Amino acid sequence: MKDKKKKKNLKNNIKNALKSYKTIIYISFLINIILLIFTYYTITSNKIYTFSGSDDYIEVKDGLIALNTDINLINGNNIKYINSKDYNIKSYKIGYYVMDNTKLVEIISNSIELEEEDIKLSELINNFTSFNIVEKNNIKKYFTPYKKSLIDKGLYLVLEAKTDTNETILSKVKLNMTKISKY
């Protein structure tokens, strides 16, 4: 009997509270605040960058990084070998990195050990097409929160190659980044 009475009192209290215009205003205000916070988070989480740069060995043009709450992508395939001297290589590694103080942190890289030594470095770089990565934001394989936080500090394209004469070629290009998103 007491349970029914308590339930009835609770229902009546809720009905009376909802009939009051003050309660409706408070609830509307709270909903608006929550929506404003969510909208601000969504807008500020959308970051789009373009990048380009060069050094003595390689040049990259028209690169793009987009980071948002849905997908993250990097498109940096427009890489060109620009050195006048070409090399036969045994192995190479090329990739995009971010800098944490003095340590490079890999976003994505590609490395190959070659069995034939008559492959030119310029051929490999000029025909390179594997830096077109699209990743859902919840996967976090390439774009972890740690790496995403370092992108504002700079992006690097690093090339390491070993020639057929055991000479090491190292190219570390600090890319010029331009943020094209508003926030």
Side-chain angles (χ1 to χ4, degrees), residues 122-138:
S122 62
E123 290 176 27
L124 284 172
I125 291 176
N126 291 337
N127 296 320
F128 190 76
T129 60
S130 69
F131 287 150
N132 192 8
I133 307 300
V134 178
E135 174 182 74
K136 288 188 88 42
N137 193 42
N138 61 356

Side-chain angles (χ1 to χ4, degrees), residues 12-177:
N12 286 336
N13 287 339
I14 292 173
K15 283 182 183 179
N16 288 337
L18 291 177
K19 287 180 183 177
S20 169
Y21 70 92
K22 288 181 182 180
T23 305
I24 293 173
I25 290 173
Y26 293 141
I27 291 172
S28 297
F29 185 71
L30 182 64
I31 289 171
N32 286 333
I33 294 295
I34 292 170
L35 288 174
L36 283 172
I37 291 170
F38 176 74
T39 303
Y40 177 77
Y41 169 74
T42 303
I43 289 172
T44 58
S45 295
N46 187 21
K47 296 180 181 178
I48 301 171
Y49 304 89
T50 60
F51 60 87
S52 62
S54 66
D55 71 353
D56 295 337
Y57 292 101
I58 53 179
E59 175 182 52
V60 63
K61 291 183 182 177
D62 306 326
L64 178 73
I65 294 178
L67 309 170
N68 63 42
T69 56
D70 188 28
I71 63 167
N72 301 309
L73 73 88
I74 185 168
N75 186 342
N77 292 333
N78 197 355
I79 302 171
K80 185 178 178 185
Y81 186 78
I82 59 173
N83 196 307
S84 59
K85 184 177 179 186
D86 207 355
Y87 301 91
N88 289 332
I89 61 167
K90 293 192 296 188
S91 66
Y92 87 109
K93 180 177 182 178
I94 189 168
Y96 286 105
Y97 295 80
V98 288
M99 185 71 78
D100 185 8
N101 294 325
T102 59
K103 179 183 158 205
L104 288 172
V105 178
E106 179 182 302
I107 294 177
I108 181 143
S109 71
N110 190 351
S111 60
I112 296 178
E113 295 286 330
L114 300 167
E115 294 175 11
E116 298 178 27
E117 293 182 8
D118 60 342
I119 297 177
K120 298 284 187 188
L121 183 58
S122 62
E123 290 176 27
L124 284 172
I125 291 176
N126 291 337
N127 296 320
F128 190 76
T129 60
S130 69
F131 287 150
N132 192 8
I133 307 300
V134 178
E135 174 182 74
K136 288 188 88 42
N137 193 42
N138 61 356
I139 293 176
K140 295 175 179 44
K141 178 179 177 184
Y142 300 106
F143 295 100
T144 64
Y146 170 65
K147 292 175 187 176
K148 286 167 71 172
S149 71
L150 295 173
I151 285 179
D152 284 331
K153 296 179 182 174
L155 183 67
Y156 294 82
L157 177 64
V158 178
L159 167 70
E160 298 174 63
K162 189 74 91 171
T163 67
D164 57 355
T165 59
N166 282 333
E167 183 182 347
T168 300
I169 297 169
L170 179 61
S171 171
K172 183 168 82 171
V173 181
K174 183 171 186 341
L175 299 168
N176 302 319
M177 293 182 51

